[in-house]
């Protein structure tokens, strides 16, 4: 098999799955209990395998490696390198995925030792994003992140795989093999893509400015990948956004209008899922997309409460939001949505509801799949957007009867009483914002 055939075998994901091994290095903490170590190891392996399967890799072997002190040359100890090398040779594995950051030197040395392609966590996530991007902006952002990542990784021993690009994906390699030519090509591509991206970003900014003129408040869904954001988005909007039990099932942001219980229209935005150790290249590249989150009136932080690691995942999300300049301690800006309650047993469910009631910040427990708690969530969003419900007594003259329909759509009409002069007294609950809108309608009508 010549070099081009090997390259084609590695990067082709449609016909033959690439055989891969997932290696999770864990820095051993002597103070941590064995139970915590095993739980962390198991959780990280599951997530790393999920990432690999998200781009249809065939994970043949998975293992965690206890590291007390990372080796500068190979990250892993010599004995472990040889042990894994034997597995790779015996199982005819094409790709080794290391669920950690790997330096260019470590990558080159491991590729020499194992005679297979080696990528780290950053490269794997970049590959997933490249596979998921659909809009022009998404494709450009991912390609820019790829190129910036590749700039420091042009020295490779696995050179026969570098001659075929294989699209924008990372596994195909950066292109040519001559380092100086590579650098020039990469830099020219980066400049070109940045220029194209600036045009797309300006267009997005214009669209955002138009929405502000309407104006509809923006509600942004954020959360760890696979927390159920897209399922909740579909539940709230009636849309049909891809929602699978798969990491990074959606990448490009989606916006839809929804109408709150008392008539207020808002825009709901579903964004890319966050993940621990999200590559800085991607945070930078997707900054324009994430501005939907930064500029949102309310952020719904969706958490998968059936996941044992949900507290750690929630902190990862908050850290990324903080890096974007969002005040994560503002209870008027962030609502926690504790999702997947349908997967909890009765004891866990009681404890969850107790925790939600005791929380100082707005929290609502829901099941995006069954719809449980969604009405309560909409009520909390409405309260945050429109203010508390106010009981009003409104007198409508005969020429104002047309406003009754407005009151039914935008409030809770408790009762109405007809008077001898033909007027109607309406008792209704209106949000503070709806009450202000109604006053403006009356003023305009009288002015006309």
């Amino acid at each position: 098999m010549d070099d081009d055939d090997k390259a084609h075998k590695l990067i082709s994901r449609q016909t033959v799955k690439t055989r891969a091994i997932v290696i999770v290095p864990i820095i051993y903490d002597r103070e941590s209990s064995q139970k915590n170590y095993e739980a962390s190891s198991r959780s990280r392996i599951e997530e790393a395998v999920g990432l690999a399967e998200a781009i249809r890799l065939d994970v043949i072997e998975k293992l965690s490696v206890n590291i007390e002190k990372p080796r500068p040359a190979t990250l892993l100890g010599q004995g472990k390198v040889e042990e894994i090398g034997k597995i790779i040779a015996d199982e005819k594995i094409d790709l080794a995925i290391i669920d950690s950051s790997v330096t260019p030197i470590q990558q080159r040395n491991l590729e020499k030792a194992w005679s297979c392609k080696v990528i780290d966590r950053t490269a794997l996530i970049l590959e997933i994003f490249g596979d998921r991007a659909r809009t022009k902006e998404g494709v450009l952002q991912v390609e820019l992140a790829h190129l910036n990542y590749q700039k420091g990784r042009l020295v490779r021993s696995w050179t026969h795989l570098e001659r075929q690009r294989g699209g924008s994906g990372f596994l195909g390699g950066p292109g040519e093999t001559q380092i100086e030519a590579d650098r020039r090509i990469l830099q020219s591509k980066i400049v070109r893509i940045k220029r194209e991206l600036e045009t797309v970003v300006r267009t997005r900014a214009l669209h955002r400015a138009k929405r502000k003129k309407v104006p509809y408040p923006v509600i942004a869904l954020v959360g760890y990948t696979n927390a159920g954001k897209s399922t909740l988005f579909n539940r709230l909007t009636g849309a049909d956004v891809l929602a699978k039990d798969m990491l990074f099932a959606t990448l490009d942001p989606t916006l839809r209008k929804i109408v709150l219980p008392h008539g207020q229209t808002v825009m709901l935005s579903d964004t890319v899922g966050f993940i621990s150790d999200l590559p800085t290249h991607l945070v930078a590249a997707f900054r324009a997309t994430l501005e939907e989150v930064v500029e949102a009136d309310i952020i719904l932080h969706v958490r998968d409460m059936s996941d044992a690691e949900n507290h750690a995942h929630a902190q990862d999300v908050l850290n990324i939001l903080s890096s974007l300049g969002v005040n994560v301690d503002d209870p008027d800006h962030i609502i926690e949505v504790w999702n997947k309650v349908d997967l909890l047993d009765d004891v866990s469910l009681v404890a969850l509801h107790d925790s939600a009631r005791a929380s100082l910040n707005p929290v609502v427990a829901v099941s995006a799949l069954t719809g449980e708690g969604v009405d309560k969530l909409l009520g909390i969003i409405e309260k945050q957007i429109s203010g508390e419900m106010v009981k009003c007594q409104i007198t409508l003259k005969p020429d104002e009867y047309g406003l009754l329909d407005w009151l039914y759509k935008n409030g809770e009409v408790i009762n109405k009483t007809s008077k001898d002069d033909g007027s109607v007294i309406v008792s209704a609950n209106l949000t503070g914002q709806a009450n202000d809108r109604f006053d403006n309608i009356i003023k305009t009508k009288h002015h006309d």
Side-chain angles (χ1 to χ4, degrees):
M1 181 182 290
D2 63 23
D3 290 347
D4 287 340
D5 288 336
K6 290 178 182 177
H8 179 71
K9 178 184 175 184
L10 182 67
I11 63 177
S12 173
R13 300 179 215 141
Q14 302 303 321
T15 55
V16 180
K17 282 187 175 183
T18 299
R19 294 169 66 84
I21 181 172
V22 170
I23 303 155
V24 179
I26 297 181
I27 307 298
Y28 189 67
D29 181 2
R30 293 182 181 278
E31 296 180 1
S32 178
S33 69
Q34 184 65 23
K35 184 178 179 181
N36 289 339
Y37 173 79
E38 289 174 357
S40 174
S41 172
R42 186 166 55 252
S43 174
R44 282 190 55 190
I45 288 175
E46 286 176 3
E47 182 175 274
V49 170
L51 288 170
E53 290 176 344
I55 48 171
R56 301 170 297 281
L57 295 174
D58 187 10
V59 179
I60 304 299
E61 188 68 54
K62 55 191 178 183
L63 56 99
S64 63
V65 179
N66 181 14
I67 299 177
E68 291 194 15
K69 187 177 180 182
R71 300 289 179 91
T74 54
L75 181 66
L76 314 176
Q78 186 58 37
K80 188 59 70 173
V81 170
E82 292 173 0
E83 178 187 327
I84 293 172
K86 187 174 186 309
I87 295 172
I88 289 171
D90 291 345
E91 298 292 342
K92 297 181 174 57
I93 286 169
D94 308 297
L95 177 68
I97 300 165
I98 299 181
D99 188 51
S100 177
S101 293
V102 175
T103 67
I105 296 297
Q106 290 169 342
Q107 181 180 9
R108 182 187 63 190
N109 290 339
L110 289 174
E111 285 180 340
K112 278 183 178 179
W114 294 341
S115 297
C116 77
K117 185 82 170 182
V118 175
I119 63 173
D120 63 3
R121 181 181 176 87
T122 298
L124 179 60
I125 294 173
L126 285 170
E127 180 69 15
I128 295 168
F129 274 49
D131 187 60
R132 294 283 187 274
R134 292 294 177 267
T135 64
K136 183 176 181 181
E137 181 183 8
V139 171
L140 288 172
Q141 287 170 329
V142 172
E143 192 168 356
L144 179 61
H146 269 126
L147 294 172
N148 280 323
Y149 179 75
Q150 288 168 5
K151 272 202 305 186
R153 295 174 180 264
L154 295 176
V155 180
R156 294 286 185 84
S157 62
W158 209 242
T159 54
H160 66 269
L161 294 178
E162 307 303 320
R163 298 192 184 106
Q164 185 168 336
R165 174 67 180 152
S168 62
F170 182 81
L171 298 183
E176 297 181 1
T177 57
Q178 295 180 7
I179 294 172
E180 289 305 320
D182 280 348
R183 286 204 179 100
R184 284 195 297 273
I185 291 169
L186 286 176
Q187 193 56 43
S188 65
K189 282 185 177 180
I190 287 170
V191 170
R192 176 181 56 80
I193 290 171
K194 280 184 175 179
R195 199 176 296 126
E196 287 184 55
L197 197 52
E198 282 172 7
T199 304
V200 178
V201 168
R202 278 198 297 271
T203 304
R204 176 180 284 277
L206 287 173
H207 290 165
R208 193 180 292 121
K210 284 180 182 177
R211 287 202 306 271
K212 284 185 176 180
K213 287 179 182 178
V214 173
Y216 293 134
V218 176
I219 316 295
L221 290 167
V222 302
Y224 205 80
T225 184
N226 215 28
K229 296 188 312 323
S230 294
T231 305
L232 181 60
F233 183 86
N234 291 341
R235 170 68 62 176
L236 292 172
T237 65
D240 191 24
V241 172
L242 176 64
K244 287 187 175 181
D245 184 20
M246 178 172 66
L247 299 177
F248 298 116
T250 53
L251 175 59
D252 296 303
T254 309
L255 284 156
R256 293 285 188 280
K257 288 181 186 176
I258 64 170
V259 179
L260 297 178
H262 297 102
Q264 171 74 14
T265 300
V266 299
M267 297 292 293
L268 190 67
S269 172
D270 184 20
T271 57
V272 61
F274 295 164
I275 196 166
S276 60
D277 303 321
L278 188 68
T280 53
H281 302 288
L282 277 178
V283 175
F286 277 80
R287 198 167 191 90
T289 304
L290 293 172
E291 280 176 11
E292 294 289 355
V293 175
V294 175
E295 298 191 9
D297 296 273
I298 290 178
I299 294 173
L300 301 183
H301 177 191
V302 183
R303 294 173 57 181
D304 175 3
M305 302 310 288
S306 68
D307 189 333
E309 296 290 312
N310 76 80
H311 290 290
H313 293 170
Q315 193 55 54
D316 289 326
V317 171
L318 295 177
N319 290 342
I320 294 171
L321 289 176
S322 294
S323 73
L324 294 169
V326 175
N327 180 5
V328 297
D329 297 319
D330 183 358
D332 295 326
H333 192 43
I334 296 181
I335 298 172
E336 285 213 351
V337 182
W338 292 0
N339 191 26
K340 302 192 183 182
V341 296
D342 54 300
L343 299 179
L344 301 179
D345 57 40
D346 292 341
V347 175
S348 300
L349 202 55
V350 170
L352 184 79
H353 285 296
D354 288 343
S355 298
R357 282 192 292 270
S359 175
L360 298 176
N361 296 324
V363 174
V364 57
V366 307
S367 168
L369 193 63
T370 67
E372 179 186 349
V374 168
D375 288 343
K376 184 178 178 182
L377 172 60
L378 288 171
I380 291 175
I381 293 172
E382 184 171 63
K383 180 181 174 183
Q384 296 280 60
I385 291 287
S386 305
E388 295 277 3
M389 297 292 285
V390 180
K391 188 171 184 178
C392 308
Q393 194 164 39
I394 301 160
T395 301
L396 297 178
K397 296 174 183 176
D399 64 338
E400 296 173 336
Y401 280 179
L403 296 175
L404 262 176
D405 184 56
W406 190 96
L407 288 171
Y408 275 107
K409 286 181 178 177
N410 294 275
E412 292 177 355
V413 174
I414 301 168
N415 61 60
K416 61 185 177 66
T417 306
S418 299
K419 295 181 69 177
D420 294 339
D421 62 359
S423 62
V424 176
I425 298 175
V426 181
S427 293
N429 289 327
L430 297 176
T431 64
Q433 196 172 81
N435 191 32
D436 291 341
R437 293 207 311 273
F438 185 78
D439 287 344
N440 288 333
I441 291 170
I442 293 291
K443 286 176 185 176
T444 303
K445 190 174 180 65
H446 288 168
H447 180 72
D448 292 341

